[in-house]
Structure formats: structure tokens, C-alpha cells
Amino acid sequence: MSTPPPSAVDRLFAESGMGSSHDPIEVGLVGSLLAEHFDLVGRLHPVATEKDDTFRLEAESSGYLVKVSPPDEAPSVVGLQTEAMRFLEATAPELPVQRVRLTVDGRDHVVLASNDGRTRILRVFDFVEGSVWAQAHPDDELLAVVGEMLGRVDVALEAFCHPADRRGLVWDLRHFHHLTELVEHTPDAGHRRLAERVFQLFDATVVPSLEDLETQVIHGDYSPYNVVVDGHREGYVCGVIDFGDTVRSAVIFDPAVAMANLLGRTADDPWREACAFVAGYQRTRPLRDRELPLLPVAALARLTLRGLITHWRAERVPERRDYLLAHAKDDWTNVERSLAVPMEDVIGRLRVGRTAPPSGAPGSIGS
């Protein structure tokens, strides 16, 4: 009996480096590669992530983050991620983007073969000290400061291009309306109904404008776990990390990621934190008038997509099940709370927020 060909969804997950499980890299091998190619020696501690094998390296004089790409992620895509970070370091060094450490002979990665013969890429980054935004619980003004930083990153990335920047990525919302088959992998009937409502809203509002949206390379995953903050430092944001979802897509999809992570967290005002973030983003990277009304729908789509992908991935990659479920445990509650607010009201708040005077210079906390 022949094996059926992979579906479009399966292919998109595979292109995203999320198509299948893989054997974890041996810690001893990672240690030997670090010593040989980076002249780094220290203690390695595994860090739970969505798809990479990731370690924190405690060396004698400093700390580093070590990532080994999954075997089904193309080397060109890994190169895109690395080049975006190096581009920002070179052209906007004032931005607190995580730095790529080079090997002793000046390369930004090491290639190794996995047990099944596929290629994997090892990279080393400076470890950014501080608290991830998810642990900091900033107020609305500090959320605006976090939004300002993403705006500055997007402004700096506008000139960046790479041969792989049009990669297929399941998290890229330009594909959202093609992912309806994920609904059947969601076990709860109520959650399926919520997802169907969001698909209908996205089809009616965003899809007709997809080809006309302003596009560029974006960070792609500016989430509370990929921003490092420190309330004692000027500027508050001290690290923008993890460019693993970098892609050329619609600009509005970048702030939509952060909004999705903020939706519903205040039950009596589910859009408050998201609107505060966007107000800050637009201080440094204003959105087009005709695109602003699409932003809240894109945020809902992103939050829904995470809920859908969680179940799909948990079925296929059981060793990461706990990590996936922990990051998505409140998603459906937050989708439901956010859908209860009329979109016209949310759009009105976003328009008011964009006219609010800035609290200080870009990236500053203000007085």
C-alpha cells in the first residue's frame, strides 16, 4: 500500500522545521564542537524550546546561548535568521539585538550531520541577562515602550533582504486561511467553534487585502518570551532575541504577534494591554490608515493559530508536549474574551492610541 502524499499543511510544517520529531543532540557532542570551533568551555544546561535543541552555556567569563537547528529546517532558512541579526548589529548597533558569536576562524555557524544523515546547524549567541517580558508584568506605559522597540526593529529591517526570506512558515499569517484543517485536530467542540469564527472574520476582512498589505522582512515572533527587560536600565528593553521566525510578510503581522500574547489577560478589558503595546509601536513605526483596522483581526488569528498548532504538534512531537501546552494553556479563554468585544470598539481604541503624544524619546521610559 502506497503512502499518501503530504498535505499542504504537512509541507508547510516541514518547511517551518516543525514537521516531525527528531533525536536530541548529544550534550557531549555539543561541548566538543564548542571547544573546537568557538574556543568555549563550560557547563551546558538544556533549555526547553519549540523546535531547536537549545542550551545555556556557562563559561568562565560569560554566558552564551547555543542553538542546534532541527534536521528538517533548511540551512538557507537558518542563514536568513543569522543574517538578519548580523544586519541589525551592523546597521543599527544601538538596538539591543542578541549578538551572534563567531567561530575562531570567523564563521557564524558550524554544520553537523544528525544520526539520520540530515544537516543541522550549530550557532552561538551572547546570553542576554535580565528577565523575559513574560515574567516582568509591565504596566501600560512600559508595554508601550516594548512596542516602541519592535517599531524600531521593523524600521531597521526595512532595507534587509535575503534569498530565503520568502520561506514557507506556518506561523506566517498570510497562510492562516489555508490552515482550516487544523480545526479537526482540536478536541474541544467549543474551541473548534471559536476557531471557525476567527477564520470567518479573517476571510472577510484580511484575506481581500492580503496582496496589498505593506511587506518587508519582520522579526516574526516578538513575544513575551523573546524580549528581555530590566526595570533598572535606561530604555527598559535590554534584549530582542530569537529570530527563528524571521520572514518577509505583512508589516501588521509583526505587532499582531505581541498583541496575541496580550489578549484577554485582563478579563474586564481584554484588549487594554494589546492596545497599549500598539500605541507604542506606532510612535516609531506608524501603520497605514487602511491597514490599522486589520490588525486586531490578525492578532486574533495569531492567538487562534497557536491554539490549533498546539494540538497538532502535541500529537506528533510528544517529547515537546509539556512545553507546547504550557505556552498555550489560556489561549481559547483569551480568544473567547476578545471576540466578545466589538471590533469597531477595538479599532476606535487603536486610532485614539496612535494620536496620543509620546512619553519620551524612542526607546525611553519617559518621565
Side-chain angles (χ1 to χ4, degrees):
M1 184 176 179
S2 62
T3 302
S7 68
V9 171
D10 289 330
R11 289 195 298 270
L12 192 56
F13 271 99
E15 290 177 29
S16 306
M18 299 163 57
S20 62
S21 180
H22 63 264
D23 293 331
I25 196 80
E26 295 179 4
V27 176
L29 174 59
V30 174
S32 64
L33 291 170
L34 292 173
E36 177 184 357
H37 295 284
F38 294 89
D39 196 22
L40 290 175
V41 178
R43 297 185 61 185
L44 286 166
H45 305 278
V47 178
T49 59
E50 183 183 29
K51 59 182 181 179
D52 301 288
D53 286 323
T54 303
F55 305 87
R56 180 173 180 181
L57 173 66
E58 293 182 356
E60 183 176 343
S61 60
S62 189
Y64 302 92
L65 197 70
V66 181
K67 282 183 171 287
V68 181
S69 66
D72 51 355
E73 186 164 61
S76 60
V77 169
V78 181
L80 160 67
Q81 301 160 14
T82 307
E83 287 302 317
M85 298 173 72
R86 298 191 68 184
F87 174 85
L88 289 172
E89 180 180 359
T91 61
E94 73 281 1
L95 297 180
V97 173
Q98 191 172 32
R99 303 308 192 205
V100 180
R101 183 175 177 91
L102 302 182
T103 65
V104 292
D105 57 357
R107 292 174 294 141
D108 56 31
H109 69 276
V110 172
V111 179
L112 60 149
S114 61
N115 293 334
D116 58 8
R118 291 181 291 177
T119 297
R120 305 187 69 178
I121 307 295
L122 182 148
R123 296 170 296 162
V124 178
F125 310 97
D126 289 346
F127 187 84
V128 180
E129 296 291 346
S131 300
V132 292
W133 164 22
Q135 299 170 339
H137 310 293
D139 60 20
D140 286 2
E141 181 48 42
L142 288 179
L143 283 173
V145 172
V146 178
E148 286 179 5
M149 181 57 68
L150 178 60
R152 294 172 65 192
V153 170
D154 280 346
V155 168
L157 281 174
E158 186 176 3
F160 176 71
C161 61
H162 187 275
D165 62 24
R166 299 183 187 274
R167 57 183 293 203
L169 179 67
V170 73
W171 291 111
D172 183 358
L173 290 176
R174 61 186 168 147
H175 304 298
F176 178 71
H177 56 303
H178 297 308
L179 300 175
T180 53
E181 72 177 73
L182 292 177
V183 176
E184 65 190 58
H185 296 277
T186 303
D188 186 281
H191 297 167
R192 292 195 297 271
R193 287 191 292 270
L194 288 171
E196 288 164 358
R197 286 180 61 189
V198 175
F199 274 113
Q200 291 167 2
L201 188 60
F202 192 87
D203 285 345
T205 58
V206 179
V207 171
S209 300
L210 269 179
E211 298 304 317
D212 300 320
L213 296 176
E214 188 175 8
T215 62
Q216 65 168 69
V217 172
I218 60 176
H219 179 280
D221 193 16
Y222 194 83
S223 78
Y225 291 92
N226 291 334
V227 179
V228 182
V229 299
D230 186 339
H232 299 292
R233 294 194 196 183
E234 182 181 1
Y236 188 58
V237 177
C238 56
V240 179
I241 64 176
D242 197 347
F243 281 68
D245 288 347
T246 297
V247 66
R248 182 173 297 277
S249 192
V251 174
I252 63 167
F253 294 161
D254 222 12
V257 173
M259 291 180 71
N261 283 276
L262 296 169
L263 291 181
R265 301 201 311 178
T266 49
D268 59 336
D269 192 358
W271 289 88
R272 193 200 80 213
E273 292 183 327
C275 289
F277 175 92
V278 175
Y281 178 86
Q282 293 208 99
R283 293 173 189 167
T284 49
R285 180 48 172 93
L287 297 172
R288 294 176 175 176
D289 288 341
R290 59 187 174 85
E291 295 186 5
L292 189 64
L294 308 181
L295 182 56
V297 179
L300 275 170
R302 173 71 185 214
L303 183 57
T304 301
L305 183 59
R306 188 169 67 184
L308 294 171
I309 286 177
T310 294
H311 294 288
W312 193 96
R313 288 270 287 157
E315 290 176 1
R316 289 159 176 77
V317 192
E319 70 272 15
R320 298 183 191 264
R321 178 183 179 86
D322 291 345
Y323 172 86
L324 294 166
L325 294 178
H327 277 255
K329 62 184 177 67
D330 297 321
D331 286 352
W332 295 112
T333 297
N334 293 338
V335 169
E336 185 172 24
R337 286 175 177 171
S338 303
L339 278 171
V341 181
M343 281 294 102
E344 295 80 5
D345 293 354
V346 179
I347 294 166
R349 290 179 71 169
L350 292 175
R351 292 196 187 283
V352 170
R354 77 186 305 179
T355 62
S359 59
S364 67
I365 296 178
S367 56

